[in-house]
């Protein structure tokens, strides 16, 4: 018995020692992979997921999941799975679920009936302010500030379009305030250039109506931007609520047959000009006049705050034939290409672009009694996050230009000046950004530059974003922002200013009498009858070119045989 007891104890001790020396593996979680799921679909984070310990025991019920996937919200969602075994060993795995959307056709918008809230749509506010939400499957946009241009409030979605295809866009919307809604397509691969050349404008009614727009693409793009523009179309537009019930894009294959529309050429009109869309327009079906069948679509607002290209469409839909002709009506404000328009803000904000690109900063700009007030509530993180600008300006190689602005601020604020080539990604034409600290008293700040090349799309801007660590939200007041050409000293606009040649000057005796001659670089006027008015004898030049905003110095060296 004694030997058996000793043997049993030895076996037990060996078992204990073997158990104590075992290398336990951490539990395993299976079925946890990154995954794409469709927006609005049902997602179960535990579907297909299981866990086991070192001995193969099922720990699935012990898995803890941290995080939540809302499939109505597009984008990436993070989940963390963790499980602990009886040896207090824990395994943790991260999982990324990306909510995406799909449409039956690539050119269609997703969630065009807003059943999934704002899913698939994006709101951009580069110059305006608005809040949006979906109630009872209707998109509601509460516009508190439409900005100063049509593009400064946008709701958009990326779709795929194809060269040569025609698309029919139908939007059902309303606005009790009569807000104008714009529609457009932008090329995301070409600086968001307007593919149709402008915006198709709709004057919304207080009741829901369905509006139609046709678009034929001249290019194929896999990420074209379809946009509803809610910024200011008309300078009188202010706060408004816009409701959109549905957006539908479908591919059509029209056959124009013998239909024709004449006179729908692109035109340029000026600020506040009248526009008659039917002036000079004719329509025919073969030899028959069908002008009465012609439908004109698209509004043109001429009371704009900045240049706005509108798309007007002429539609003939007769029998099985459909013909659509589009024209661009470009409303311009009349500024000279080599000048800044509305330099003293006499016309309010007209001609100026107010921009808060990327929504990094917040604030507003308005003109009160001829003074631009820049009310900054959030500076953003970069100087360019708040801008006042004009683009499309001409500079000529070798010419020196002076930019000046007169300003003050409620508290010291560093303000920058931009001179950029808008056709080259807004590349700066200066070494660094000229900047000044604007204080509590009005001062005039100036900067000169000489053009190294001739450019026709220069952008001049004042930057009010964060430029210095000391900058804080404040209000800046700008009295004027001006541009002038600097004429080198001694360069005369007159011909033969030194009288060294017999050219340029006219001797005129409309009433008086006498003679004028060139003698050794001097003009000698021998006056025999003065007449009875100062203009009765003249030495003059006609056709001298002078420019608005330029300063000229007139100097004359002369003597007389008698005091006069």
């Amino acid at each position: 018995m004694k030997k058996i007891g000793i043997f049993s104890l030895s076996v037990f001790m060996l078992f204990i020692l073997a158990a104590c020396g075992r290398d336990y593996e951490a539990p395993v979680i299976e079925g946890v992979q990154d995954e794409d799921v469709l927006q609005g679909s049902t997602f179960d984070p535990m579907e297909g997921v299981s866990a086991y310990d070192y001995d193969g025991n099922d720990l699935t019920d012990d898995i803890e999941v941290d995080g939540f996937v809302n499939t109505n919200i597009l984008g990436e969602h993070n989940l963390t799975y963790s499980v602990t075994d009886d040896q207090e060993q824990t395994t943790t795995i991260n999982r990324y679920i990306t909510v995406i959307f799909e449409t039956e056709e690539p050119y269609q918008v997703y969630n065009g009936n807003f059943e999934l809230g704002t899913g698939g749509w994006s709101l951009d506010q580069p110059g305006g302010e608005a809040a949006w939400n979906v109630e009872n499957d209707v998109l509601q946009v509460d516009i508190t500030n439409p900005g100063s241009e049509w593009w400064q409030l946008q709701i958009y979605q990326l779709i795929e379009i194809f060269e040569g295809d025609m698309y029919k866009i139908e939007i059902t919307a309303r606005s009790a305030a009569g807000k104008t809604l714009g529609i457009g397509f932008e090329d995301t691969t070409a600086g968001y250039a307007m593919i149709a050349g402008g915006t198709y404008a709709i004057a919304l009614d207080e009741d829901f109506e369905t509006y139609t727009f046709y678009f034929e693409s001249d290019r194929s793009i896999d990420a074209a931007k379809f946009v509803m523009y809610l910024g200011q179309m008309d300078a009188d537009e202010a706060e408004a609520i816009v409701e959109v019930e549905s957006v539908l894009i479908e591919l059509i294959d029209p056959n124009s047959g013998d239909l024709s529309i004449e006179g729908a050429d692109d035109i340029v009109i000026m600020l506040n000009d009248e526009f008659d869309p039917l002036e000079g327009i004719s329509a025919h079906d073969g030899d028959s006049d069908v002008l009465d069948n012609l439908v004109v679509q698209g509004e043109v607002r001429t009371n704009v705050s900045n240049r706005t290209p509108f798309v007007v469409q002429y539609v003939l839909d007769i029998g099985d034939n459909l013909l659509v002709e589009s024209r661009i009506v470009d409303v311009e404000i009349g500024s000279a290409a080599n000048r800044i328009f509305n330099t003293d803000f006499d016309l309010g904000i007209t001609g100026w672009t107010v921009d808060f690109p990327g929504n990094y900063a917040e604030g507003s700009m308005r003109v009160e009694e001829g003074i631009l007030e820049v009310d900054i509530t959030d500076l953003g993180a970069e100087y360019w996050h708040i801008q006042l600008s004009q683009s499309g300006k001409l500079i000529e190689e070798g010419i020196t230009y002076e930019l000046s602005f007169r300003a003050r601020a409620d508290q010291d604020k560093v303000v920058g000046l931009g001179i950029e080539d808008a056709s080259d990604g807004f590349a700066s034409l200066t070494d660094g950004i000229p900047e000044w600290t604007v204080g509590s008293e009005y001062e005039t700040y100036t900067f000169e530059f000489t053009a190294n090349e001739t450019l026709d799309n220069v952008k001049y801007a004042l930057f009010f974003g964060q430029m210095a660590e000391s900058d804080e939200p404040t209000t800046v007041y700008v009295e004027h922002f001006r541009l002038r050409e600097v004429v080198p000293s001694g360069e005369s606009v007159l011909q033969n200013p030194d009288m060294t040649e017999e050219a340029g000057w006219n001797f005129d005796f409309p009433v008086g009498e006498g003679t004028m001659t060139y003698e050794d670089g001097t003009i000698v006027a021998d006056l025999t009858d003065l007449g009875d008015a100062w203009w009765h004898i003249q030495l003059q030049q006609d056709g001298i070119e002078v420019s608005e905003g330029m300063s000229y110095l007139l100097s004359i060296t002369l003597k007389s045989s008698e005091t006069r």
Side-chain angles (χ1 to χ4, degrees):
M1 291 292 295
K2 186 175 182 180
K3 291 182 179 180
I4 294 175
I6 292 173
F7 175 77
S8 299
L9 178 62
S10 299
V11 172
F12 177 74
M13 291 300 294
L14 287 171
F15 177 79
I16 294 297
L17 289 172
C20 290
R22 180 174 178 180
D23 185 13
Y24 289 98
E25 295 180 356
V28 175
I29 302 177
E30 296 180 346
V32 177
Q33 291 89 26
D34 295 345
E35 185 179 351
D36 291 343
V37 299
L38 289 176
Q39 186 176 37
S41 63
T42 300
F43 174 74
D44 179 0
M46 287 301 299
E47 182 178 350
V49 176
S50 58
Y52 303 92
D53 69 4
Y54 50 92
D55 283 330
N57 298 311
D58 192 343
L59 300 179
T60 303
D61 292 341
D62 297 328
I63 296 176
E64 295 183 358
V65 182
D66 184 24
F68 176 71
V69 176
N70 183 347
T71 62
N72 286 325
I73 300 176
L74 292 171
E76 194 174 74
H77 302 256
N78 177 236
L79 298 175
T80 302
Y81 294 75
S82 62
V83 67
T84 303
D85 62 18
D86 58 6
Q87 296 297 315
E88 299 302 320
Q89 296 186 109
T90 300
T91 295
T92 300
I93 299 178
N94 282 324
R95 184 184 193 187
Y96 294 94
I97 304 298
T98 304
V99 179
I100 61 174
F101 63 83
E102 286 184 349
T103 57
E104 291 184 6
E105 300 293 343
Y107 54 80
Q108 295 175 336
V109 294
Y110 179 75
N111 187 28
N113 56 11
F114 304 101
E115 290 181 350
L116 300 173
T118 59
W121 298 94
S122 297
L123 170 66
D124 193 12
Q125 307 175 70
E129 296 176 355
W132 69 331
N133 69 310
V134 173
E135 292 186 7
N136 299 322
D137 298 340
V138 174
L139 175 67
Q140 297 182 347
V141 187
D142 187 357
I143 303 169
T144 54
N145 174 17
S148 60
E149 298 191 55
W150 47 281
W151 53 268
Q152 293 189 329
L153 276 177
Q154 305 180 18
I155 293 175
Y156 67 91
Q157 191 172 134
L158 300 183
I159 62 174
E160 187 173 1
I161 58 176
F162 303 93
E163 180 179 0
D165 284 350
M166 178 172 281
Y167 304 93
K168 180 180 180 182
I169 300 92
E170 291 186 342
I171 293 182
T172 302
R174 70 179 180 183
S175 173
K179 177 75 178 70
T180 307
L181 170 71
I183 304 171
F185 289 83
E186 299 179 6
D187 187 345
T188 60
T189 67
Y192 296 92
M194 299 291 295
I195 302 175
T199 179
Y200 175 81
I202 301 167
L204 298 179
D205 194 67
E206 61 180 352
D207 297 320
F208 278 116
E209 288 190 24
T210 299
Y211 303 88
T212 302
F213 170 58
Y214 295 93
F215 168 69
E216 184 173 0
S217 181
D218 62 359
R219 67 200 79 178
S220 295
I221 312 172
D222 59 4
K225 182 179 176 183
F226 168 73
V227 196
M228 291 184 286
Y229 299 105
L230 294 165
Q232 186 185 76
M233 292 278 188
D234 187 289
D236 294 330
E237 290 183 345
E239 298 179 358
I241 294 177
V242 173
E243 295 178 283
V244 183
E245 190 174 66
S246 65
V247 179
L248 175 66
I249 299 179
E250 60 178 316
L251 180 67
I252 63 173
D253 185 17
N255 179 16
S256 59
D258 293 328
L259 300 178
S260 63
I261 300 171
E262 296 81 26
D265 299 322
D266 295 347
I267 60 170
V268 175
I269 64 175
M270 305 310 295
L271 181 72
N272 293 323
D273 280 355
E274 291 186 4
F275 171 69
D276 180 358
L278 287 174
E279 183 178 352
I281 301 295
S282 60
H284 295 87
D285 185 356
D287 295 329
S288 301
D289 186 339
V290 291
L291 186 62
D292 290 343
N293 298 85
L294 188 68
V295 176
V296 180
Q297 300 178 160
E299 300 286 330
V300 173
R301 302 301 192 198
T302 64
N303 182 27
V304 295
S305 294
N306 219 322
R307 177 199 169 195
T308 307
F310 291 93
V311 178
V312 176
Q313 291 193 325
Y314 300 85
V315 181
L316 279 176
D317 189 354
I318 301 176
D320 295 330
N321 297 327
L322 172 67
L323 175 64
V324 179
E325 291 285 350
S326 296
R327 75 189 301 195
I328 303 299
V329 181
D330 200 346
V331 181
E332 297 189 352
I333 58 175
S335 59
N338 62 344
R339 293 286 182 267
I340 289 178
F341 182 75
N342 189 22
T343 59
D344 299 326
F345 307 106
D346 294 332
L347 300 176
I349 208 71
T350 299
W352 294 98
T353 295
V354 176
D355 199 3
F356 293 79
N359 303 319
Y360 296 111
E362 295 179 358
S364 63
M365 297 190 199
R366 62 185 178 277
V367 175
E368 297 287 344
E369 298 180 355
I371 303 294
L372 174 72
E373 297 184 4
V374 185
D375 186 10
I376 305 168
T377 55
D378 184 341
L379 295 164
E382 299 284 349
Y383 64 90
W384 54 270
H385 286 173
I386 305 175
Q387 302 182 26
L388 173 76
S389 67
Q390 287 191 25
S391 299
K393 299 305 176 183
L394 171 70
I395 60 173
E396 298 184 62
E397 183 178 1
I399 301 295
T400 298
Y401 300 87
E402 179 190 86
L403 284 162
S404 66
F405 68 98
R406 183 171 175 80
R408 71 173 182 88
D410 285 343
Q411 63 185 62
D412 286 359
K413 173 70 181 74
V414 179
V415 174
L417 173 66
I419 306 170
E420 302 172 340
D421 183 357
S423 298
D424 186 22
F426 300 99
S428 178
L429 300 178
T430 60
D431 294 329
I433 303 298
E435 60 181 54
W436 299 266
T437 299
V438 175
S440 60
E441 300 294 329
Y442 275 113
E443 289 188 38
T444 300
Y445 305 89
T446 61
F447 179 78
E448 286 190 5
F449 73 99
T450 301
N452 295 323
E453 57 182 322
T454 297
L455 300 170
D456 61 4
N457 193 15
V458 173
K459 172 185 172 183
Y460 298 116
L462 288 179
F463 298 121
F464 300 98
Q466 183 83 45
M467 295 201 70
E469 291 184 3
S470 59
D471 280 349
E472 294 183 0
T474 187
T475 300
V476 181
Y477 305 86
V478 182
E479 196 173 76
H480 67 243
F481 184 15
R482 297 173 179 167
L483 168 72
R484 73 179 185 93
E485 295 181 12
V486 178
V487 178
S489 177
E491 182 177 316
S492 178
V493 297
L494 297 174
Q495 182 181 2
N496 188 23
D498 298 324
M499 286 75 172
T500 55
E501 303 172 359
E502 294 190 10
W505 295 99
N506 296 315
F507 307 144
D508 193 7
F509 297 85
V511 175
E513 295 180 358
T515 60
M516 291 187 187
T517 58
Y518 291 98
E519 296 181 11
D520 299 325
T522 300
I523 287 180
V524 178
D526 185 9
L527 311 178
T528 56
D529 184 349
L530 298 176
D532 55 10
W534 51 270
W535 55 271
H536 285 177
I537 303 177
Q538 301 179 23
L539 171 68
Q540 50 101 343
Q541 284 191 27
D542 288 334
I544 299 169
E545 182 177 345
V546 294
S547 300
E548 180 184 357
M550 301 279 285
S551 298
Y552 298 89
L553 172 67
L554 176 63
S555 62
I556 306 173
T557 303
L558 72 167
K559 67 178 182 178
S560 175
S561 59
E562 295 183 11
T563 301
R564 65 183 309 277

